[in-house]
């Protein structure tokens, strides 16, 4: 083993050498043809590093049109399983093509072992989808997505039902209301989000006021900037911005937290102790958000008004007392409530989608990432969509 | 290569974590073609020793020679060349959870070689066949596999580049005795046929018994190497307890018989 043997090679009239690159010098397949017979001479190192060359060199073998194929491996320096497997697969194909393969100088290395392995019958892994025609593939994909969409909708409804049930139950039986947990989630979703919510509300309001002022001033209606800010911030922007920030911050956190618990079998552990994961994990989060989101909205409203007031003072020379007086004129009794009333609805949507996606995680880290992403995307979409519905309803009700 | 030339050689390894001295001048030679079992109590530093041999942990002092080359003083580039020559399975399989079994097995091949998909599929089929997994397992994700199948798939990935050297970290932990025995048989079968050198950390006395040629016991920061029969009569109290404890009685019994047959 391991030594290259020099053997006498009879002079055939046709000698074909195949070599593809410098690396193939170490892996050599020489094919010598004589009439109906071809002699395959293997030499050098047939190892996994040279598989690329081996693959190319073996391709030529199946193209031979001889009836008899003799394989000689006595000059092989080194051979490993992968290379021999490829050789064997190629020779099998030759046999299927009607060639007669023989090994007059003994079996190539590893063939005995591979034959033994092969008694457990196996074929190449075939991806069933690859065999479909493209119209079938399109139909299959469409169908799969439609079914998934249906399951998704049913799942959300199912989760909403369970959540409402658990919430009502907990509210009627305060023993099951996990107060420490609710406080923690109120703190994490509310207090910790204060800086970012306040800052974004302030700057967005400044932008609105600036654009409004520069347009309205041309008509000599600069004072109406105050109306724009008041109605814009209180009715729409304050609550919408807050909900979007919270969806990004807290919705993703809920999905990821519960998702990792799901991966660690913690959710199953809860169930086995006899606790309902909806009650333990979902209710405190949703209730925490239900407390935090309206409070955050009020802060966002206040910061938005402050931003508007500062910019009006600086750009339009409206003093703060003037601004306050004008705001009181612009305010209808419902303006503030039309914004705030939406906050609990958004809180339930965000909490529900985040926790539902988290509970859906199964098995792999990729699932966790995918479902966390969809929790955020769906929450933001649902927040904006619901906001549009509210707008229509409020207009119809003249609210 | 001479059968007695060590393929892996540890020279005076010292590993220290803060105040705690884990390995005190540990030396160990592993010969080509043998199966070496590493045992030791929990916290004795088996895993750190394995990570040191793999080049994943740099010892405080000492050398690790793999096929004669010292990997502790090697450049990163040279170390990669060494790393592709050995295969490792980790305790919990460490299959990439976002890839299918087939993709897990193909990952090392894709990384180091340029091959057609047909060839990759053929090689994957071979690995699956070698470790006794059905073809249907190829398209499954690790989360869909049983514990025994994960160990097998992990072994298939470790064998992807036809290594001569195989490291197994607790290969049978978490398996039922029947699956564990089957896995031991599989390792022995592959080791014999592919002339592999296997280094395994194990707590499974049955595994030690059925697969290992020699046993290295890590105790008191030192390593003691002997055959299993030799270990039986080792004077150190921990080693004595290990091989003569309650769980070892059956083993002691059968190995006495084995020793009697052997002589």
């Amino acid at each position: 083993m391991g030594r290259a043997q020099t053997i006498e090679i009879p002079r055939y009239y046709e000698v074909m050498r195949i070599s593809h690159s410098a690396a193939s010098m170490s892996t050599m397949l020489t094919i010598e043809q004589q009439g109906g017979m071809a002699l395959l001479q293997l030499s050098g190192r047939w190892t996994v590093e040279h598989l690329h060359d081996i693959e190319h060199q073996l391709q030529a073998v199946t193209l031979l049109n001889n009836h008899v194929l003799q394989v000689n491996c006595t000059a092989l320096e080194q051979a490993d399983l992968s290379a021999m497997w490829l050789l064997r697969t190629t020779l099998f194909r030759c046999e299927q093509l009607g060639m007669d393969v023989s090994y007059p100088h003994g079996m190539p290395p590893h063939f005995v072992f591979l034959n033994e392995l092969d008694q457990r019958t196996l074929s190449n892994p075939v991806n069933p989808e690859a065999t479909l025609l493209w119209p079938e593939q399109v139909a299959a994909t469409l169908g799969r997505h439609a079914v998934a969409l249906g399951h998704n909708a049913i799942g959300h409804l199912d989760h909403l039902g369970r959540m409402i049930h658990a919430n009502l139950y907990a509210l009627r039986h305060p023993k099951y209301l996990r107060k420490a947990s609710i406080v923690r989630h109120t703190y994490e979703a509310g207090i910790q989000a204060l800086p970012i919510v306040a800052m974004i509300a302030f700057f967005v309001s400044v932008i609105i006021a600036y654009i409004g002022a520069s347009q309205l001033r041309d008509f000599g209606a600069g004072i109406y900037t105050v109306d724009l800010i008041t109605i814009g911030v209180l009715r729409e922007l304050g609550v919408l911005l807050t909900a979007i920030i919270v969806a990004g911050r807290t919705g993703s956190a809920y999905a990821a937290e519960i998702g990792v618990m799901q991966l660690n079998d913690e959710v199953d552990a809860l169930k086995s102790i006899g606790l309902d994961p909806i009650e333990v994990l979902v209710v405190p989060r949703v209730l925490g958000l239900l407390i935090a989101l309206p409070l955050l909205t009020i802060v966002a409203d206040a910061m938005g008004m402050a931003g508007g007031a500062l910019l009006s003072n600086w750009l339009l020379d409206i003093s703060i007392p003037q601004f306050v007086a004008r705001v009181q004129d612009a305010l209808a009794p419902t303006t503030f409530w039309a914004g705030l009333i939406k906050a609990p609805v958004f809180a339930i949507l965000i909490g529900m989608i985040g926790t539902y996606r988290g509970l859906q995680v199964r098995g792999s880290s990729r699932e966790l990432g995918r479902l966390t992403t969809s929790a955020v995307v769906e929450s933001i979409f649902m927040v904006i969509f619901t906001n549009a519905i509210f707008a229509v309803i409020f207009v119809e009700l003249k609210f | 290569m001479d059968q007695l030339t060590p393929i892996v050689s540890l020279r005076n390894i010292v590993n220290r974590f803060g105040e705690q001295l884990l390995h005190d001048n540990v030396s160990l030679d592993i010969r080509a073609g043998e199966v070496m079992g590493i045992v030791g109590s929990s916290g004795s530093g088996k895993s750190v020793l394995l990570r040191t041999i793999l080049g994943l942990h740099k010892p405080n002092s000492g050398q690790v020679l793999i096929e004669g080359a010292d990997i502790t003083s090697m450049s990163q580039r040279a170390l990669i060349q060494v790393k592709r020559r050995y295969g490792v399975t980790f305790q919990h399989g460490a299959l990439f959870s976002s890839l299918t079994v087939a993709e897990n097995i193909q990952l090392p091949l894709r990384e180091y070689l340029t091959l057609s998909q047909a060839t990759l599929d053929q090689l994957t089929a071979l690995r699956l066949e070698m470790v006794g997994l059905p073809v249907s397992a190829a398209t499954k994700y690790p989360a869909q596999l049983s514990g025994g199948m994960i160990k097998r798939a992990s072994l298939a990935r470790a064998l992807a580049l036809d290594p001569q050297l195989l490291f197994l970290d607790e290969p049978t932990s978490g398996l039922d005795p029947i699956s564990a025995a089957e896995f031991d048989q599989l390792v022995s079968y592959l080791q014999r046929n592919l002339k592999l050198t296997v280094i395994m950390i194990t707590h499974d006395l049955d595994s030690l018994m059925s697969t290992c040629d020699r046993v290295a016991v890590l105790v008191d920061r030192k390593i003691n190497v002997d055959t299993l029969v030799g270990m039986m009569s080792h004077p150190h109290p921990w080693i004595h307890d290990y091989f003569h404890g309650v769980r070892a009685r059956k083993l002691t019994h059968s190995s006495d018989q084995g020793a009697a047959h052997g002589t």
Side-chain angles (χ1 to χ4, degrees), chain B:
Chain B
M1 190 191 270
D2 183 358
Q3 200 74 95
L4 292 177
T5 312
I7 186 167
V8 175
S9 181
L10 301 182
R11 302 267 169 83
N12 303 319
I13 294 290
V14 177
N15 272 316
R16 201 181 288 115
F17 289 99
E19 290 290 294
Q20 194 197 4
L21 186 63
L22 207 55
H23 301 129
D24 183 12
N25 280 314
V26 166
S27 295
L28 176 66
D29 282 338
I30 291 147
R31 303 169 198 141
E34 78 170 335
V35 183
M36 171 72 87
I38 299 179
V39 299
S41 64
S42 306
S44 62
K46 300 181 297 291
S47 294
V48 176
L49 193 70
L50 184 69
R51 287 171 55 82
T52 309
I53 304 175
L54 295 177
L56 298 174
H57 173 82
K58 207 174 163 67
N60 293 74
S61 71
Q63 290 178 310
V64 180
L65 307 179
I66 292 186
E67 290 174 334
D70 181 10
I71 63 163
T72 55
S73 60
M74 232 175 224
S75 68
Q76 280 301 317
R77 191 180 289 269
L79 193 57
I80 288 170
Q81 289 304 313
V82 174
K83 279 180 178 166
R84 53 184 283 194
R85 309 255 295 273
Y86 62 64
V88 193
T89 71
F90 291 92
Q91 194 175 345
H92 302 290
L95 292 173
F96 302 115
S97 61
S98 57
L99 303 179
T100 62
V101 169
E103 287 165 344
N104 261 287
I105 297 171
Q106 289 168 6
L107 183 79
L109 291 165
R110 280 181 199 279
E111 203 55 39
Y112 290 121
L113 306 164
T114 327
L115 294 173
S116 68
Q117 189 59 44
T119 305
L120 280 173
D121 285 344
Q122 279 176 20
L123 291 171
T124 309
L126 167 67
R127 305 299 166 208
L128 290 174
E129 203 171 321
M130 279 165 75
V131 299
L133 281 175
V135 175
S136 57
T139 51
K140 285 190 175 149
Y141 285 92
Q144 296 167 293
L145 300 180
S146 69
M149 289 172 94
I150 286 178
K151 299 272 186 187
R152 282 170 192 263
S154 167
L155 183 62
R157 186 179 68 185
L159 291 169
L161 289 171
D162 277 317
Q164 283 302 296
L165 189 54
L166 193 59
F167 296 94
L168 308 174
D169 190 356
E170 307 231 6
T172 55
S173 74
L175 296 187
D176 66 85
I178 297 168
S179 307
E182 281 173 1
F183 196 84
D184 286 340
Q185 280 169 11
L186 173 67
V187 171
S188 289
Y189 174 68
L190 293 175
Q191 188 266 337
R192 273 197 320 276
N193 282 288
L194 300 173
K195 299 179 179 58
L196 301 173
T197 309
V198 179
I199 299 167
M200 63 159 91
I201 290 181
T202 185
H203 277 302
D204 189 339
L205 287 164
D206 291 326
S207 288
L208 281 177
M209 179 74 200
S210 60
T211 48
C212 295
D213 298 317
R214 291 196 299 161
V215 184
V217 184
L218 250 175
V219 67
D220 291 341
R221 301 179 288 281
K222 294 280 190 186
I223 214 159
N224 300 275
V225 187
D226 206 337
T227 59
L228 196 65
V229 177
M231 273 300 167
M232 290 289 170
S233 51
H234 199 280
H236 191 283
W238 191 88
I239 300 177
H240 183 272
D241 285 355
Y242 188 91
F243 290 103
H244 295 273
V246 180
R247 306 181 89 173
R249 250 172 225 153
K250 192 171 146 265
L251 169 78
T252 319
H253 181 66
S254 52
S255 93
D256 282 348
Q257 283 181 338
H261 283 298
T263 47

Side-chain angles (χ1 to χ4, degrees), chain A residues 81 85 88 110-122, chain B residues 125-132 186 189-190 193-194:
Chain A
L81 205 60
W85 170 263
R88 188 165 164 276
H110 295 305
F111 267 40
V112 177
F113 172 61
L114 288 171
N115 288 339
E116 207 177 307
L117 270 181
D118 235 15
Q119 282 165 3
R120 290 171 262 181
T121 47
L122 267 165
Chain B
L126 167 67
R127 305 299 166 208
L128 290 174
E129 203 171 321
M130 279 165 75
V131 299
L186 173 67
Y189 174 68
L190 293 175
N193 282 288
L194 300 173

